[in-house]
Amino acid sequence: MDLPASSPHGVDERPPSPALWTRRGFIPALAAVVLAGLAGLLGVRSDTTSAQVGEWRLTLEHAELARAGFDVPWQVTVTHDGGFDGPLTLAVTGDYFDIFETQGFMPEPTEMTRDGDTLYLTFAAPPRGDTFVVAYDAYIQPAAQRGADGTLSVLDAGVAVASLDFETRLLP
């Protein structure tokens, strides 16, 4: 009967098997994922982007990084010195919203139209004040695999007066 080579102290001197190295690597990798989850690094991270042109200020809070099935923020704030004279129209890259399941906009637009690239949302002007806020109640579709980017603009008489670019990246 052949015995494995061993040292005089009875310790096996064969090199560790690939399975042993796999186990040794798996434990730290698993610990890193658990720690990242506990630290909140695998959930939703939001970003706020703003643009100001003259008396118009456009601010968007949106998900910068998200995962399928998670609720995400998408809230637009438009500020116009002196208030709003009439309806307010926002123009958004239309296919950005393809990654979402939604309950809709709050408040609801009075009119919603879309051309080949852009979704136009028209809202009644707020009754008083210089600030208008609209939120999109949504979560990332469970089947969504890729993020999306877009451009948001506030229109005055059909002309973009302030615009900003944004992006939502998705983790697997």
Side-chain angles (χ1 to χ4, degrees):
M1 166 185 332
D2 289 336
L3 295 173
S6 61
S7 70
H9 302 290
V11 176
D12 190 355
E13 292 181 358
R14 288 181 296 183
S17 71
L20 179 62
W21 285 111
T22 300
R23 287 191 305 269
R24 286 180 179 169
F26 178 74
I27 298 300
L30 180 61
V33 169
V34 169
L35 289 173
L38 290 172
L41 300 176
L42 301 180
V44 175
R45 286 196 346 226
S46 61
D47 188 23
T48 301
T49 307
S50 295
Q52 182 158 354
V53 178
E55 55 197 25
W56 292 91
R57 179 168 180 79
L58 178 62
T59 303
L60 173 65
E61 179 189 4
H62 70 285
E64 176 184 38
L65 186 66
R67 297 172 59 90
F70 280 38
D71 287 330
V72 292
W74 199 87
Q75 181 172 297
V76 177
T77 303
V78 178
T79 305
H80 180 252
D81 295 337
F84 303 92
D85 295 333
L88 178 69
T89 301
L90 300 175
V92 186
T93 303
D95 61 0
Y96 172 77
F97 294 112
D98 291 348
I99 65 173
F100 296 104
E101 292 287 333
T102 183
Q103 300 300 316
F105 291 94
M106 293 178 286
E108 288 286 329
T110 56
E111 183 179 344
M112 188 180 326
T113 59
R114 182 172 174 176
D115 62 19
D117 299 318
T118 306
L119 175 65
Y120 298 93
L121 305 164
T122 302
F123 298 91
R128 61 184 184 283
D130 296 348
T131 302
F132 171 78
V133 178
V134 62
Y136 186 61
D137 181 14
Y139 63 91
I140 305 294
Q141 287 187 30
Q145 300 293 315
R146 298 177 186 225
D149 59 7
T151 300
L152 170 66
S153 301
V154 61
L155 307 181
D156 185 26
V159 177
V161 292
S163 297
L164 53 86
D165 296 322
F166 58 96
E167 179 181 17
T168 298
R169 294 175 293 146
L170 298 181
L171 293 172

